[in-house]
Amino acid sequence: MITLSPSLLSANFANLNADINTLEEAGIDELHLDIMDGHFVDNITFGPALVASLRPLTDMHFDAHLMVTNPEKLFSSLANAGTGNITVHAETVPHLYHTLEKIKKMGLSAGVALNPATDFRNLIYPALDDLIDRILVMSVEPGFGGQKFLPMSLYKIDAIKHWRANNNLNFTIQVDGGINADNINTVIQAGADNIVMGSAVFRQRKIAANICNIKNIIKQEN
Ligand code: DX5
Ligand code: ZN
């Protein structure tokens, strides 16, 4: 079962309440929250305070994608803000095993995001110990929405899928960046379980129609 995780990054920041309601009414049950610090990536978005203020507005699962240096500093405030999943970038943490243990001990789902040039194979040890619920394959360099999908990501997704099967691992594969109605099925066929979409969901502000169209495209070919 493929799930969609629309990114709040492309929403109308002046009226998030309305966009969140529209997503939920369109049957979306997970919201992707791109938290950027202007240091690990060039862009700055929002932090735990905003996440906490969104929490009472919706029942959607909150999926936090931390594009920040020192992500551990945000863990407790994000947990208190009602985040269900925390994904850290492998490039930002020197002691990844311990970082993942911290997320799991808080009772949250844990993810590891990989920049386009980062290999997945050294995730084997935390994955064998069931510390990784989700691997986030970045199919663009992180920092901004609306970038072009990097085609080599398909090779990487497929390689992770086979590596998961060969080692009996349990995580899901999430893919983020440049996915739209034209390429979503190739991403799914390569092995994605969860698709993050920003600009394609909010395109021309026709949020409900875009989601309906994307869901139909997925259904037709899978
Ligand atoms: C990029 C973010 C993405 C972004 C995706 O750094 O992690 O989640 O919002 O946006 P699109 O779908 O527009 O590439
Ligand atoms: Zn993201």
Side-chain angles (χ1 to χ4, degrees):
M1 160 81 177
I2 307 299
T3 53
L4 289 181
S5 194
S7 168
L8 196 70
L9 188 61
S10 296
N12 175 8
F13 277 28
N15 197 353
L16 292 173
N17 195 358
D19 283 2
I20 283 173
N21 286 337
T22 306
L23 291 172
E24 201 160 27
E25 278 163 20
I28 295 295
D29 49 28
E30 178 175 296
L31 186 64
H32 185 78
L33 301 168
D34 286 306
I35 298 181
M36 307 186 188
D37 65 351
H39 187 255
F40 176 61
V41 293
D42 290 343
N43 200 1
I44 298 179
T45 53
F46 50 81
L50 184 110
V51 177
S53 71
L54 299 179
R55 187 63 285 176
L57 305 179
T58 173
D59 291 330
M60 283 188 286
H61 175 84
F62 281 178
D63 170 37
H65 173 195
L66 302 191
M67 286 160 273
V68 303
T69 47
N70 299 317
E72 292 187 13
K73 289 188 177 176
L74 300 180
F75 286 178
S76 59
S77 49
L78 281 173
N80 291 335
T83 301
N85 177 80
I86 292 181
T87 292
V88 295
H89 264 265
E91 303 84 8
T92 62
V93 282
H95 308 291
L96 182 62
Y97 190 101
H98 188 50
T99 301
L100 293 167
E101 272 186 324
K102 282 191 179 168
I103 300 173
K104 299 294 285 178
K105 277 186 186 145
M106 290 191 297
L108 303 181
S109 150
V112 181
L114 302 172
N115 275 347
T118 305
D119 193 10
F120 59 86
R121 289 176 189 84
N122 58 4
L123 300 181
I124 187 71
Y125 303 112
L128 283 171
D129 280 356
D130 277 327
L131 292 175
I132 303 179
D133 296 297
R134 165 175 279 186
I135 290 182
L136 195 181
V137 177
M138 286 305 300
S139 40
V140 298
E141 285 291 355
F144 297 92
Q147 301 181 74
K148 201 171 167 318
F149 183 86
L150 297 169
M152 69 76 196
S153 313
L154 297 173
Y155 171 85
K156 190 173 182 180
I157 298 160
D158 182 72
I160 294 174
K161 179 179 70 179
H162 286 102
W163 176 76
R164 177 177 65 184
N166 294 339
N167 293 285
N168 275 321
L169 302 173
N170 284 318
F171 56 83
T172 58
I173 301 173
Q174 181 178 48
V175 187
D176 183 2
I179 303 174
N180 54 44
D182 295 330
N183 62 14
I184 189 166
N185 278 324
T186 60
V187 178
I188 292 168
Q189 279 145 22
D193 306 299
N194 177 279
I195 304 280
V196 177
M197 290 174 115
S199 37
V201 162
F202 290 89
R203 203 167 73 96
Q204 297 178 330
R205 302 283 313 150
K206 295 178 181 158
I207 303 170
N210 291 338
I211 290 172
C212 183
N213 181 39
I214 292 161
K215 283 185 174 171
N216 282 336
I217 286 169
I218 296 175
K219 242 188 262 156
Q220 276 161 23
E221 285 191 37
N222 293 283

